[in-house]
Amino acid sequence: MSLWVIWCERNKIVWKEGDFNLWMMSSSAPKLLEEYQRFHSPTEKNKQRPVSKWEAPPRGRLKINVDGAFRADLNAGGIGVIIRNDHGHCLAVLHRSINHASSAFQVEVEACRAGLLFALQKGLNDFILETDCAALTNALNSLEDDLSDMGHIIGDCKYYMLAFTSLTVRHIYREANGVANRLAQVASFSSVNEIWIGNTPSFIEDVIYEDFCPSSRGIGTKSPSMYNHSRQF
């Protein structure tokens, strides 16, 4: 405000041949600041959201978590899919490398398509599909056609969704998607595709355990077990 008053006083002298008035300058700046603050009240700082955790689905339903990991240095990535029941027991797991990827959004969409196809192959009908990609959730829940470069994959996903009796697509925060994130991260560092039915691979056991811990947790990408597993390939 002081700079503005000085600028206005300068223009008055140059263009209107006015007189320099120091008292006017010193009194105008505080008044302008007070007026500005009266109409622009400071907003409250955004409160930090509580850390979310994975939650088991309602009784009788299943939950499928999907995630993608993108490696920009290689234009590649990996996807992860895990299916659990209402007790949190692991029923099936899939992870797969993506050799050619153009963006993080592409691997997220590929993970969703793989999860839906996995569910179709296993004859599932009533489940919740969770992803930590809000853009993907919005695209799948939208009634309009997606005209983006990933529109054809999203169209596939919507087509597969019609085959299920009951399906809910839900957005979650990344810390509640730790197992799928671990699977995708491991797949991005490997070149194999693996599926587990009825048993749990050892390199995600710690993340599954964290889902049931009452304390807050991370996203399961810093544990040594992930990197030890990736070095085996």
Side-chain angles (χ1 to χ4, degrees), residues 182 186 202-204 206-207 223-230:
R182 170 71 65 79
V186 171
S202 59
F203 67 93
I204 63 171
D206 61 318
V207 199
S223 171
S225 62
M226 170 195 159
Y227 298 102
N228 291 339
H229 182 80
S230 64

Side-chain angles (χ1 to χ4, degrees), residues 158-231:
K158 288 184 175 182
Y159 178 75
Y160 299 147
M161 289 167 61
L162 297 175
F164 301 106
T165 304
S166 177
L167 166 61
T168 303
V169 179
R170 180 184 300 169
H171 171 258
I172 54 172
Y173 291 110
R174 181 169 294 182
E175 64 266 22
N177 204 29
V179 180
N181 182 274
R182 170 71 65 79
L183 290 165
Q185 291 287 344
V186 171
S188 69
F189 283 93
S190 66
S191 58
V192 297
N193 304 327
E194 294 186 271
I195 297 176
W196 292 263
I197 305 295
N199 61 333
T200 305
S202 59
F203 67 93
I204 63 171
E205 288 179 348
D206 61 318
V207 199
I208 291 180
Y209 175 76
E210 287 178 352
D211 282 341
F212 291 95
C213 288
S215 60
S216 61
R217 58 181 296 276
I219 60 174
T221 60
K222 302 300 182 184
S223 171
S225 62
M226 170 195 159
Y227 298 102
N228 291 339
H229 182 80
S230 64
R231 292 193 187 101

